[in-house]
Amino acid sequence: MNPALLLPIGLVFTLMLVGLAGAGKHTQVLELWLDRLDGPQTAAASALAPIIDCMNRVDRDTRLAYQRLVHPPMAESAPQAQTSLPAGRYARSREEFGDNSEPQARVIQNDVCAPTLTTKLAHQHPASPLIGMTAEYLASLQKNSSTLGTSNQRRLFGDVLQQRIEDELSRNGEAYATLSSQLRRALAVQDQRLRVEQRAVLEARLGQDLHWHLLNYMITARAAVDQIDGGVRTASLTLQALAKLTAAVQRANENSATFVDHIPNKNLNDEALHLWYVIRQPADAYLIALHNLLQDWLDHAPPQQLSDDYYLVTRRYDALLSYYNRPARNAF
């Protein structure tokens, strides 16, 4: 294509997208077409993005709400249970659930988890098993959220509706959690592969710049928690594997910090730099949780302590991801 034509074509399609705002499926098809111009990795990631957005912003909170019903956070347990925990290790467990600055999941659910989630994927890969899995998941999510009410009702009767939602989760939460986990694992396999491919494309285009370091760190952090989770579920995690994963996360964290330290005349309005600073604290907290799990295993801690450590690793990764997602979604 003649590069001189890209700008006017882009303007035309931008106007078309504005005119079709809210048109749902048609808008997504046009977005997919534009993504394909950038490359197959961008198009593939774009097809998964709406499903991942739903899982990150709505499923995360719904799943945590169910977990809190079944396994109350350690800081909310009885005082005698708290005294057995190492000082300072779990004192912030109420805050381990990430960025709370966005609207609650039940407020944005109808927009973020709409039935059109799989439109791009269906156009790109009509036979993808993710399409059916997502439909089952959305049906279960809607079942658990059938008592949401209108926005006015939520404002006037928030506590009552919250109790009704918790009652629904108590009845249907186990089936919901199973579907959520299945979909998350299936998405993780494809998303992780795509991120690795995107990292290679990014390096070929721009070298190992800050965007590359951010993506490399998130890939490494995700690989660690996925392998730890899989190893715990199959009882195959080894101390050597955990040490290797922890070292990889620390190395990616330190490499990104070193790169930022050598940036001259830092512009805090730069979106990539802003994102890096946003995730510093949750990234450090995640690394601390990994080191705690590793050290307690080396010290032959009792199984309950290791279980608590594993719980904190997964919660702190969820927190890290939530802090990363909002500025990344808005900026890139």
Side-chain angles (χ1 to χ4, degrees), residues 186-201:
L187 280 170
V189 171
Q190 295 197 37
D191 184 54
Q192 192 75 351
R193 174 181 58 80
L194 282 171
R195 299 306 174 194
V196 171
E197 292 176 0
Q198 288 179 316
R199 181 178 58 186
V201 171

Side-chain angles (χ1 to χ4, degrees), residues 157-315:
F157 307 108
D159 292 340
V160 175
L161 290 174
Q162 182 63 35
Q163 184 59 53
R164 291 171 65 184
I165 291 170
E166 291 181 0
D167 292 343
E168 289 288 342
L169 281 173
S170 296
R171 286 191 291 270
N172 307 310
E174 184 175 356
Y176 171 86
T178 298
L179 289 171
S180 166
S181 296
Q182 289 173 349
L183 181 56
R184 279 181 168 270
R185 285 195 291 270
L187 280 170
V189 171
Q190 295 197 37
D191 184 54
Q192 192 75 351
R193 174 181 58 80
L194 282 171
R195 299 306 174 194
V196 171
E197 292 176 0
Q198 288 179 316
R199 181 178 58 186
V201 171
L202 190 59
E203 184 171 5
R205 291 180 179 179
L206 302 173
Q208 293 187 6
D209 68 346
L210 184 53
H211 296 84
W212 185 93
H213 279 286
L214 283 166
L215 182 56
N216 180 66
Y217 171 76
M218 294 304 295
I219 288 172
T220 308
R222 173 68 172 271
V225 77
D226 282 349
Q227 291 182 49
I228 291 170
D229 181 60
V232 168
R233 285 188 291 105
T234 60
S236 61
L237 182 66
T238 66
L239 186 58
Q240 293 76 14
L242 176 60
K244 185 177 180 179
L245 293 168
T246 302
V249 173
Q250 180 165 344
R251 186 164 53 251
N253 198 351
E254 291 174 348
N255 287 345
S256 65
T258 300
F259 182 88
V260 170
D261 286 344
H262 288 87
I263 296 177
N265 303 320
K266 296 179 181 64
N267 178 9
L268 296 182
N269 291 322
D270 178 83
E271 292 170 329
L273 190 60
H274 170 73
L275 177 56
W276 187 86
Y277 283 116
V278 165
I279 68 169
R280 281 307 81 210
Q281 189 279 328
D284 290 342
Y286 174 57
L287 182 59
I288 289 170
L290 288 170
H291 277 296
N292 286 342
L293 175 58
L294 178 61
Q295 189 60 52
D296 282 343
W297 196 343
L298 286 168
D299 293 341
H300 306 287
Q304 184 57 54
Q305 181 64 66
L306 296 178
S307 176
D308 292 343
D309 289 342
Y310 162 71
Y311 175 87
L312 194 62
V313 166
T314 59
R315 293 288 68 76

